[in-house]
Amino acid sequence: MVVGLTYNLRGESMETFGAGPPEEGDDAEFDEWATVQTVAAVLEELGHRCVVIGSLPALMARLLRGERWDLVFNLAEGHHGYAREAQIPALLEEWRIPATFSDPLCLSVCLHKPTTQRLLRQAGVATAPFTVVRRPDDLDAVDLPYPLFAKPVAEGTSKGIGIDSRLTDPRQLHLVCAKLWERHGQPVMVERYLPGPEYTVGVLGAGADARPIGVSQPLFDEPAEPFLTALRKHDASQKPVPARLLDDTTASRRIAALAVQAWRALGCRDAGRVDLRCDAAGEPYVLDVNPLPGLSPTYSLLPLQWESAGGTYPELIAHIMASAEQRLPAETAPAIATAPGGSGVRSGRVGWR
């Protein structure tokens, strides 16, 4: 099968979504060339012919030249707007070329956190109370008990989250929101701060076939900053914040079940992550759903969790491909893919090992 590979590279030309000048970390969601090379090599090992395409302009040019692929493995996060993660999938949808991961609607919904939370709440999934502030006049109408937590409505990789994101009084609320408006050029989501432990659940598959990989808990070494900021996702050496994979217990199964419920409610597919946090009583709430996960084998949370659960990186890519291949036309669908050194994954059950 011919598989195209789309991506955004760190350091490529870009303008910021906000009003301020470019700053270090603006391209934190983008991939390093080493990640692109690794994914391409694994796709070749799985028996596919991988065509390295690049970002949206390169894809557009190739499509207009008449190039086609059986499926596109999409890593691209996009540059601009609330629908930036959906731009390449939407273009491929118009050309009727299947792509990995969630569809354009799901990607747009999940990037916009208030929309995500509203839909989850309608589906009966627990989320923290929140409000959206768009201008200074909105601040006086915030009617939630302190402490609160502030973040941009549509950023990933913890961009816009810092040590000052936890708010204890109206003065902090005004200062932090003003900073986020100026830096990110978008409304701010203000939600009730949840003081309990934070968890990440990796999910594979779609619909009834969606299964959790496991439940991981970040290990914070600074009690004063018990949440993931943009700087703490990983340090300059690309080492991620340490995390431990929870044992298969009643408590961890409950967290995993809530994550899968959120995943299914939003129509996510193939692979991704759900982030949750508990309140003071230990009740879990969904914070964020990431249907376009990072795949760096060095520091991205999903591959690291998968490997902690006993899997290999090629097996993870094979599972993602197997899920996406279910959307291929019948005449294109390949035989069962086999990860190097592993077994076929088309019919295997995914979950804790």
Side-chain angles (χ1 to χ4, degrees):
M1 188 164 68
V2 180
V3 179
L5 181 58
T6 50
Y7 53 87
N8 290 111
L9 282 181
R10 291 186 183 180
E12 71 183 21
S13 177
M14 66 176 293
E15 300 171 19
T16 58
F17 179 60
E23 294 184 6
E24 184 178 357
D26 278 340
D27 57 358
E29 294 168 287
F30 294 176
D31 286 297
E32 297 174 331
W33 180 237
T35 300
V36 175
Q37 288 179 305
T38 300
V39 173
V42 171
L43 289 172
E44 293 278 349
E45 291 174 3
L46 292 172
H48 306 295
R49 181 165 71 86
C50 181
V51 178
V52 176
I53 297 172
S55 60
L56 180 62
L59 174 63
M60 294 169 62
R62 285 172 176 258
L63 285 170
L64 292 173
R65 287 199 301 265
E67 294 187 44
R68 300 293 183 269
W69 313 273
D70 297 316
L71 183 144
V72 169
F73 198 106
N74 176 47
L75 301 172
E77 300 277 351
H79 284 281
H80 304 293
Y82 294 152
R84 60 184 180 270
E85 292 183 352
Q87 289 164 357
I88 280 180
L91 182 61
L92 292 168
E93 190 172 72
E94 174 65 16
W95 291 88
R96 300 186 181 183
I97 300 174
T100 55
F101 303 114
S102 296
D103 65 29
L105 176 60
C106 178
L107 292 167
S108 297
V109 163
C110 290
L111 182 61
H112 194 268
K113 293 174 175 56
T115 301
T116 304
Q117 301 288 58
R118 292 185 183 106
L119 291 175
L120 289 177
R121 192 172 299 178
Q122 288 180 356
V125 178
T127 65
F130 73 92
T131 189
V132 176
V133 291
R134 296 173 174 82
R135 59 187 68 85
D137 291 345
D138 294 339
L139 292 170
D140 292 333
V142 174
D143 187 24
L144 294 169
Y146 289 90
L148 300 172
F149 199 82
K151 56 191 176 186
V153 296
E155 292 293 352
T157 319
S158 293
K159 287 193 290 188
I161 295 178
I163 185 62
D164 58 353
S165 293
R166 182 179 181 274
L167 314 171
T168 57
D169 56 52
R171 176 180 173 275
Q172 278 187 300
L173 174 66
H174 282 70
L175 289 174
V176 170
C177 286
K179 181 185 75 172
L180 292 176
W181 285 327
E182 180 179 5
R183 175 68 188 91
H184 295 280
Q186 57 183 277
V188 176
M189 182 175 176
V190 178
E191 60 188 347
R192 179 163 65 91
Y193 178 71
L194 301 171
E198 187 166 323
Y199 302 100
T200 291
V201 180
V203 183
L204 293 183
D209 293 330
R211 297 289 185 271
I213 295 172
V215 181
S216 298
Q217 180 181 3
L219 303 176
F220 300 110
D221 54 6
E222 294 290 340
E225 190 181 336
F227 48 85
L228 289 176
T229 66
L231 293 177
R232 297 192 68 208
K233 280 280 188 173
H234 47 76
D235 60 24
S237 65
Q238 301 298 332
K239 294 180 180 178
V241 171
R244 67 183 180 94
L245 190 68
L246 271 60
D247 293 333
D248 185 7
T249 64
T250 300
S252 63
R253 285 196 296 271
R254 182 185 178 203
I255 292 169
L258 183 61
V260 172
Q261 182 186 359
W263 183 261
R264 291 172 176 164
L266 295 170
C268 303
R269 63 193 193 193
D270 297 351
R273 296 189 348 264
V274 179
D275 297 331
L276 308 93
R277 196 174 177 97
C278 293
D279 63 12
E283 290 296 316
Y285 296 79
V286 172
L287 291 180
D288 193 22
V289 178
N290 184 350
L292 187 59
L295 288 179
S296 166
T298 305
Y299 56 79
S300 292
L301 295 176
L302 183 71
L304 293 178
Q305 186 179 69
W306 173 258
E307 292 180 1
S308 295
T312 67
Y313 190 82
E315 288 174 341
L316 174 60
I317 301 301
H319 275 292
I320 294 170
M321 286 293 293
S323 179
E325 285 164 10
Q326 296 181 37
R327 300 188 292 276
L328 289 172
E331 63 272 16
T332 310
I336 295 175
T338 302
S343 58
V345 299
R346 288 291 296 277
S347 60
R349 180 180 175 90
V350 177
W352 273 304
R353 298 163 180 252

